Amino acid sequence: MRAPGYGRLGLALILGILMAGGGATGAWGAPEAPTLPIPALEFGVKAAGSPQDVVLSLQMLALLTVLSMAPAIVLMLTSFTRILVVLSLVRNALGLQQVPPNQVLVTLALFLSFFTMAPVWDRVYDGALSPYMKGDLSAQEAWDRTIAPLKDFMMRQTRQEELSLMISMAKEERPRNAEDVSMRTLMPAFVLSEIKTAFQMGIVIFVPFIVVDMVVASVLMAMGMIMLPPMMISLPFKILLFVLADGWNLVISSLVTSIR
């Protein structure tokens, strides 16, 4: 008698041998699905064989340096500084510590910066980036046309006092016009001017909320509630005043219109 299951086991072994040795075809002659190769990344350093290789390496190094500094350029050479400082002062004037959170304030400041800087980016794209990508400009000409709109924007926002301070500290000759101002003196002067303008706007924002705090503290003291923190009572009133006065729209519109 034949043991049960031996026939099925033998058939399975035969099929396995056929599939293993079939090469490009399976057990029934059907072609197997091609396997996708996984790409391998290779990095290497070798000696430059010509001066052109040295120039190309230096250009790549300069490009990587600019890309690493791009966040600082976007944050400090645009209206981002003023907007973020004013929004932070609004939160502090209301007496709120983490509402709105920092992520919300930074994101809102970025979007408003893109909005206010759109005319400058359009000038850069139309005058420098687009002709350079078409091959009509060299890299140096594209760089000069890129700096010109940004420098014009920074000059309009920079105060005379801060610019004079940086020029005197750099011991440079007094520039005859805006084109003679160097970027190494204009950039710190622009950042200082943005912080000073933001603080001036913050003072105007703080005044009504300070009045509310003083009124609430005086009422509590007159009622003999010395142990009750005035901030706890004044906070809802300040938020209500800010909402009724449409405070966010007023702050945002003031920020956008203050950027010339």
Side-chain angles (χ1 to χ4, degrees):
M1 295 181 64
R2 188 172 50 182
Y6 285 177
R8 291 193 298 271
L9 179 60
L11 181 60
L13 291 176
I14 294 174
L15 290 176
I17 294 173
L18 289 177
M19 294 183 66
T25 60
W28 306 102
E32 294 182 351
T35 58
L36 295 177
I38 300 177
L41 298 178
E42 295 183 0
F43 297 94
V45 178
K46 63 179 181 178
S50 62
Q52 288 78 9
D53 295 339
V54 178
V55 173
L56 181 60
S57 301
L58 293 177
Q59 289 178 351
M60 291 297 298
L61 180 61
L63 178 61
L64 293 176
T65 304
V66 171
L67 290 178
S68 63
M69 297 178 60
I73 295 174
V74 172
L75 298 183
M76 303 306 296
L77 302 186
T78 62
S79 56
F80 177 82
T81 302
R82 180 190 306 187
I83 296 173
L84 183 60
V85 172
V86 171
L87 293 179
S88 301
L89 291 175
V90 169
R91 184 176 64 180
N92 293 334
L94 287 170
L96 302 172
Q97 299 300 324
Q98 298 296 333
V99 180
N102 292 329
Q103 292 84 354
V104 175
L105 293 183
V106 172
T107 305
L108 179 59
L110 282 174
F111 288 160
L112 290 176
S113 300
F114 293 151
F115 177 79
T116 55
M117 297 295 295
V120 179
W121 304 140
D122 292 340
R123 290 177 57 188
V124 171
Y125 180 80
D126 296 336
L129 183 58
S130 180
Y132 176 73
M133 295 176 63
K134 294 179 180 178
D136 298 335
L137 293 178
S138 62
Q140 184 62 39
E141 292 175 344
W143 173 257
D144 295 337
R145 293 192 181 186
T146 301
I147 291 297
L150 186 60
K151 186 176 181 180
D152 181 59
F153 168 79
M154 296 170 61
M155 286 295 300
R156 294 199 306 267
Q157 310 301 323
T158 304
R159 298 172 180 267
Q160 186 67 32
E161 296 82 4
E162 281 71 23
L163 185 58
S164 300
L165 173 65
M166 299 310 302
I167 291 176
S168 62
M169 293 179 62
K171 297 181 180 180
E172 294 182 352
E173 296 183 358
R174 185 178 182 85
R176 293 170 295 180
N177 48 43
E179 287 74 13
D180 295 337
V181 179
S182 62
M183 289 295 292
R184 77 185 188 101
T185 57
L186 179 59
M187 289 189 292
F190 170 76
V191 176
L192 291 175
S193 299
E194 290 292 287
I195 296 176
K196 184 176 182 179
T197 303
F199 273 48
Q200 291 177 350
M201 298 180 67
I203 293 174
V204 179
I205 294 172
F206 261 92
V207 170
F209 300 113
I210 292 177
V211 173
V212 174
D213 288 334
M214 294 176 61
V215 171
V216 172
S218 300
V219 171
L220 292 178
M221 187 175 295
M223 296 177 64
M225 299 180 179
I226 303 177
M227 302 301 295
L228 185 62
M231 182 64 67
M232 183 181 300
I233 305 301
S234 63
L235 180 58
F237 288 99
K238 290 191 291 186
I239 296 177
L240 179 62
L241 174 64
F242 190 73
V243 172
L244 292 178
D246 203 4
W248 286 115
N249 286 346
L250 291 176
V251 171
I252 298 304
S253 61
S254 300
L255 281 170
V256 174
T257 53
S258 67
I259 300 172
R260 302 182 295 273

